[in-house]
Amino acid sequence: MDKAAIRAPLTASPAGGGARSRGLQGFLLQSPAIMLLLVWSVVPLLMTLWYSLRNYNLVDPTRQGFAGISNYWYLLTDPDFLTSLENTAILVGGVLAISVGLGTLLAVLYNEEFAGRGIARILVISPFFIMPTVAALLWKNLMLHPIYGVYSAMMRAVGLTPIDWLSRYPLATLVMIVAWEWLPFAVLILLTAIQSLDTEQKEAARMDGAGMVAQFINITLPHLSRAITVVIMIETIFLLTVFAEISVTTAGGPGVASTNLAFLIYSRALLQFDVGGASAGGVVAIVVANIVAAFLLRAVARNLET
Amino acid sequence: MARTRTRLRQGVVTILGWAIALWMFFPILWMFLTGFKNEPDAISTPPHLFFSPTLSSYRDVFAREDYWHFATNSVVISVLATVVALLVSIPAAYAMAFLPGPRTRMTLLWMLSTRMLPPVGVLVPIYLLARATGLLDSRTGLIVIYMLTNLPITVWMLYTFFREVPVPILEAGRMDGATRWQEVTQVLMPLALPGIASTGLLSLILCWNETFWSLNLTSSIAAPLTTFIASFSSPEGLFFAKLSAASTLAVAPIMVFGWASQKQLVRGLTFGAVK
């Protein structure tokens, strides 16, 4: 765990010279990466800010010029925008609840010894490696298609009427599909974390007569709390901008029933060519993501010190 | 008494463990099976569990859908983006691990923060820039973007691997008069090779499965497999068998990579926060 003991900086050397030369070398070696990321993170951001303050529609070049905050005003008073924020929250919250809640239980389950555990683990985490367009179309067609889907066949087999899930409950169905992709991620991370749990401690608790539930609440959960935090934050960053799954299944519909913030910005930009409005939405997305990122960075920074 | 209870518990755990695993994997298994059906079999109701397997869907995918075009794009884009990202991040991670300065920690965290920008926030400028420079629907455009989005992760992951290389070994080489270049290529590289390999693997997986930029910036010429599969979403595209065959081909290599590198993935994806 503690690598700091052997982590003294390299001593002066024939190749390195003094401390100043070392600093210079270090800077030169890092500069390509730093320069690239600086340009990548600053230039597009400034452009988004700039466009968000301008009237700019790709199909209507006559309306140009400074727009002040009108793009923001238009966006914030647009009921579709509020719906998209709400949908984003439901999508993120729903997937997080499923993946973290179930993920914790599954991590405990797959930490137990049983025949073929290695294979079972591999099967469980597999959906995480499926590309989003495949995952979404697989569920939309092969699984949930109201006529030909396997789930519809199962429902008919037990005497129920199949449901057209994606048009009746578009958002809930999307939550389910995205959770299928991200639950394995939670299991993968939490299983890794749980394996570092001290078995002696659990053994002692069992000797003291603690039941399985008591052990889970008093020992396993506290041990996992940090890993759970990490899973929540990393998933949130990705889930805030779920796009492909919506694009190939519902295209945000019916109406805007399954439009999240990312899809709203996309449709403003590339379907309605409203550069100004889409950019204002982009700024909102960046602000929301930054709030989450601040929490994540603090957690990671704390880890850097140990 | 106690023994039967353990036996019972063992039985419940085994059944539950396998039932959940099969349920999670079932869609993938079904996709794999459907790829070996012909179209009428694929949409038969109720679905056929037993059928005579055929390669006709695979033949269609190769012959009519130009699968190789998209697969080549995926390979070229993922591999080049990963190689360039590694070339840029190895020196940076080396400097951060072995020549740390007062600002190293802040630089690392700042790099990580760039990864947290939502891509949709910069969709408009990137799209307009790509259009203006002729990089729309070009491999180069995606390679550059993938390289940049993966750079924070590769730097971070390599940094954590390099930090595990014991400094005395590097110093011993230095005492023998090795230059910085020799130190990196002949001492550090062989020691850190597994770490570099798994960093590259994670980058490949992320590039292969990236959908936001590929769907928005490519349509045909540079379209990778993600975009190709998305073309099956049109309502007239009810070709279950063909979709399944194409999807199986698209996900199989990366799934095998993923299985092989779970441990390293955890490390890369959590920026070393979970070990």
Side-chain angles (χ1 to χ4, degrees), chain A:
Chain A
M1 194 77 195
D2 194 2
K3 292 264 162 26
I6 54 163
R7 186 55 37 203
L10 289 180
T11 45
S13 62
R20 277 195 47 202
S21 146
R22 273 219 321 273
L24 183 67
Q25 282 189 10
F27 175 75
L28 286 178
L29 289 169
Q30 290 172 50
S31 52
I34 292 178
M35 288 309 189
L36 283 170
L37 282 176
L38 201 61
V39 171
W40 169 243
S41 63
V42 171
V43 173
L45 193 65
L46 291 179
M47 285 177 76
T48 302
L49 270 173
W50 166 249
Y51 285 132
S52 76
L53 299 172
R54 296 188 63 83
N55 284 316
Y56 186 6
N57 191 308
L58 290 177
V59 287
D60 180 12
T62 53
R63 253 171 39 106
Q64 285 261 13
F66 190 65
I69 58 159
S70 72
N71 283 322
Y72 291 95
W73 182 249
Y74 182 75
L75 186 75
L76 295 175
T77 53
D78 182 353
D80 286 358
F81 171 72
L82 294 178
T83 311
S84 80
L85 275 188
E86 201 180 308
N87 289 343
T88 308
I90 293 173
L91 198 57
V92 175
V95 175
L96 277 181
I98 296 173
S99 61
V100 174
L102 261 180
T104 311
L105 295 177
L106 290 189
V108 173
L109 175 65
Y110 288 105
N111 193 39
E112 299 279 326
E113 291 276 358
F114 64 87
R117 181 178 68 172
I119 298 170
R121 276 183 185 170
I122 280 182
L123 295 183
V124 167
I125 61 161
S126 293
F128 182 60
F129 303 117
I130 304 290
M131 56 175 69
T133 42
V134 167
L137 286 179
L138 168 58
W139 277 98
K140 179 191 183 184
N141 294 323
L142 299 184
M143 295 292 119
L144 299 178
H145 191 282
I147 301 164
Y148 309 121
V150 178
Y151 277 56
S152 308
M154 288 182 196
M155 290 182 77
R156 268 194 296 270
V158 294
L160 297 168
T161 318
I163 297 171
D164 188 353
W165 296 99
L166 275 165
S167 48
R168 282 278 295 282
Y169 310 102
L171 199 56
T173 311
L174 274 166
V175 167
M176 208 276 314
I177 295 174
V178 178
W180 180 72
E181 294 176 273
W182 283 96
L183 171 60
F185 173 76
V187 174
L188 188 61
I189 304 295
L190 296 176
L191 192 55
T192 309
I194 220 171
Q195 281 163 356
S196 64
L197 182 60
D198 192 359
T199 44
E200 275 174 29
Q201 204 184 355
K202 276 186 91 171
E203 208 54 49
R206 192 150 64 201
M207 290 302 176
D208 290 347
M212 261 170 61
V213 178
Q215 278 180 46
F216 176 73
I217 291 174
N218 294 319
I219 300 175
T220 312
L221 265 190
H223 175 78
L224 285 182
S225 62
R226 179 211 192 85
I228 289 176
T229 319
V230 170
V231 169
I232 289 176
M233 288 183 290
I234 291 175
E235 285 199 3
T236 307
I237 284 172
F238 283 95
L239 295 174
L240 277 174
T241 49
V242 164
F243 172 78
E245 290 87 341
I246 297 175
S247 167
V248 300
T249 55
T250 63
V256 288
S258 58
T259 296
N260 68 350
L261 188 53
F263 198 81
L264 182 84
I265 296 169
Y266 153 80
S267 64
R268 285 287 140 83
L270 299 187
L271 301 180
Q272 297 166 22
F273 304 107
D274 177 7
V275 170
S279 298
V283 172
V284 173
I286 290 170
V287 169
V288 173
N290 270 343
I291 295 171
V292 179
F295 282 105
L296 176 58
L297 281 177
R298 201 175 306 164
V300 176
R302 211 175 303 140
N303 194 56
L304 259 188
E305 278 148 19
T306 55

Side-chain angles (χ1 to χ4, degrees), chain B residues 170-263:
Chain B
L170 292 186
E171 274 175 346
R174 190 91 47 94
M175 293 303 170
D176 294 342
T179 61
R180 176 95 58 209
W181 174 252
Q182 287 170 326
E183 175 192 321
V184 170
T185 53
Q186 287 169 24
V187 185
L188 178 64
M189 283 303 195
L191 284 173
L193 204 59
I196 296 172
S198 43
T199 306
L201 208 56
L202 175 65
S203 166
L204 275 181
I205 294 177
L206 292 174
C207 291
W208 191 273
N209 285 348
E210 200 286 333
T211 43
F212 184 79
W213 293 116
S214 61
L215 289 190
N216 280 314
L217 297 183
T218 65
S219 52
S220 57
I221 305 168
L225 288 166
T226 45
T227 310
F228 166 58
I229 298 292
S231 68
F232 281 90
S233 66
S234 55
E236 63 270 26
L238 273 185
F239 301 110
F240 281 22
K242 223 156 56 176
L243 166 68
S244 300
S247 298
T248 305
L249 288 169
V251 303
I254 244 46
M255 213 157 71
V256 175
F257 275 177
W259 288 342
S261 58
Q262 297 170 40
K263 278 262 146 53

Side-chain angles (χ1 to χ4, degrees), chain B residues 59-76:
Chain B
R59 270 197 296 273
D60 274 2
V61 168
F62 284 117
R64 274 194 248 154
E65 304 285 349
D66 206 5
Y67 175 83
W68 286 118
H69 169 69
F70 303 103
T72 313
N73 280 339
S74 268
V75 171
V76 169

